Amino acid sequence: MQIPRLDTPPLFAALAGARNVLIAGAGGGFDVYAGLPLAFALSDDSGRDSGTRVHLANLSFTPLEHLPLEAWDAENVAVVEPDTPGPADYFPERTLARWLHANDLAGTVYAFPRVGVVPLRAAYRHLVQKLDLDAIVLVDGGTDILMRGDESGLGTPEEDMTSLAAVAGLDEVATKLVTCLGFGIDAYHGVNHSQVLENIAALDRDGAYLGALSIPSGSAAATLYRAAVEDARAATPLRPSIVNGQIAAAVAGGFGDVRFTERTSGSTLFVNPLMAVYFSFTVEGLAKRSLYLDRLARTHGMGQVALLIAAFRAEVEHRPARAFPH
């Protein structure tokens, strides 16, 4: 294993030499947007050829079963282009494809339906072969993908854990990483962030932690990301991304109760610089730390995943939540 250097972010060191990288939203919805700053940085911030070709994918909340037959590249793999027919009110993958195309960037986003581990792994394997992938980066908007299972709250684990289990089983891919953007956001779903930090420390001891990397607010990657998020907010006014809205505000130097959508009315937000930091890990190390990931290996539907997680939670003693002391 290469010895980390302070002057080289381990996330980028791990991806050095990769020719085809898939950046995939792990938790559904707009998660793929949280991977955009990394995608822009890997492609030299502007889409110019830097030796690495970046591809985008997302576990989708859109009812993909209504897409036309020609949109399907393989079972459970939809190819979403700017002109792909679909719902007008909520289709994050097409919204992103249209924004990318309008900004002279590659306008293809692959979309996976909400299926279990077995079919999702097969879908990923199809892209590994089709795109000749040598690296996959799962992106979580938030940090609940870091929950091992016995915490006081898991957030919304079903999609994240399905993605993690699916990619963990792809032995043919040399580099498999997880990166989280939006520290603190999952508090709304019951995640205790003292436990997040405890889990990160354990992953560090295991050698699975690739460090933290902030997104400079004045960088080209940040500028493009904020523009993409604003475009998505305008295109999806009834269901804008609360996660990416907070991250984008943090990337712009926002702090506190920053308002960007009526969806957050009645709650108090805590936008802060930690939301603009990538926390990165190896898939293998994160999967090894999970207390129940092996139970999901044979699932075919997301309903099965949810039932198995609920059953595990009923068996395990939960670690008590700890207040952040500062």
Side-chain angles (χ1 to χ4, degrees), residues 9-22:
L11 172 60
F12 283 88
L15 294 170
R19 303 294 297 180
N20 287 289
V21 178
L22 180 68

Side-chain angles (χ1 to χ4, degrees), residues 9-295:
L11 172 60
F12 283 88
L15 294 170
R19 303 294 297 180
N20 287 289
V21 178
L22 180 68
I23 296 179
F30 287 91
D31 260 13
V32 65
Y33 276 76
L36 291 180
L38 176 60
F40 298 143
L42 287 172
S43 58
D44 196 21
D45 290 340
S46 61
R48 295 190 298 272
D49 184 11
S50 62
T52 300
R53 187 174 183 186
V54 177
H55 309 271
L56 299 173
N58 199 43
L59 186 64
S60 183
F61 286 169
T62 302
L64 299 178
E65 64 271 17
H66 299 307
L67 297 187
L69 184 62
E70 57 269 22
W72 294 94
D73 197 52
E75 187 174 8
N76 297 311
V77 182
V79 182
V80 180
E81 307 283 1
D83 59 351
T84 298
D89 58 336
Y90 183 82
F91 198 169
E93 296 81 16
R94 187 183 60 196
T95 299
L96 178 55
R98 287 177 174 175
W99 182 87
L100 291 168
H101 179 74
N103 285 272
D104 298 320
L105 300 168
T108 298
V109 181
Y110 296 95
F112 308 123
R114 294 177 71 251
V115 293
V117 171
V118 172
L120 185 59
R121 182 177 295 153
Y124 268 104
R125 184 164 280 125
H126 171 78
L127 290 184
V128 169
Q129 297 169 353
K130 173 187 175 70
L131 304 175
D132 192 23
L133 298 177
D134 42 21
I136 296 176
V137 183
L138 289 175
V139 180
D140 182 22
T143 54
D144 53 358
I145 198 171
L146 304 182
M147 301 292 95
R148 70 179 195 175
D150 63 348
E151 294 82 4
S152 58
L154 300 187
T156 54
E158 290 83 2
E159 292 80 13
D160 289 319
M161 292 300 106
T162 300
S163 296
L164 179 62
V167 171
L170 295 174
D171 297 332
E172 61 268 44
V173 181
T175 302
K176 297 174 290 188
L177 308 176
V178 170
T179 193
C180 303
L181 187 64
F183 183 92
I185 284 173
D186 294 314
Y188 179 78
H189 289 121
V191 170
N192 178 264
H193 284 78
S194 292
Q195 293 180 332
V196 172
L197 295 174
E198 183 181 2
N199 289 356
I200 292 175
L203 288 160
D204 194 11
R205 293 193 298 273
D206 290 347
Y209 179 42
L210 301 182
L213 180 65
S214 63
I215 302 170
S217 61
S219 65
T223 300
L224 288 167
Y225 168 68
R226 289 192 296 263
V229 172
E230 174 55 28
D231 174 79
R233 186 195 64 79
T236 316
L238 298 180
R239 295 177 64 185
S241 174
I242 294 174
V243 169
N244 283 282
Q246 291 180 78
I247 296 170
V251 171
F255 183 82
D257 194 16
V258 179
R259 292 289 150 182
F260 51 87
T261 172
E262 290 300 318
R263 288 187 70 196
T264 61
S265 61
S267 61
T268 301
L269 304 182
F270 185 55
V271 172
N272 66 85
L274 286 176
M275 291 182 175
V277 175
Y278 278 121
F279 293 86
S280 302
F281 312 84
T282 66
V283 162
E284 294 86 351
L286 191 56
K288 183 179 179 181
R289 272 274 159 184
S290 174
L291 299 176
Y292 65 88
L293 202 66
D294 59 325
R295 299 190 182 197

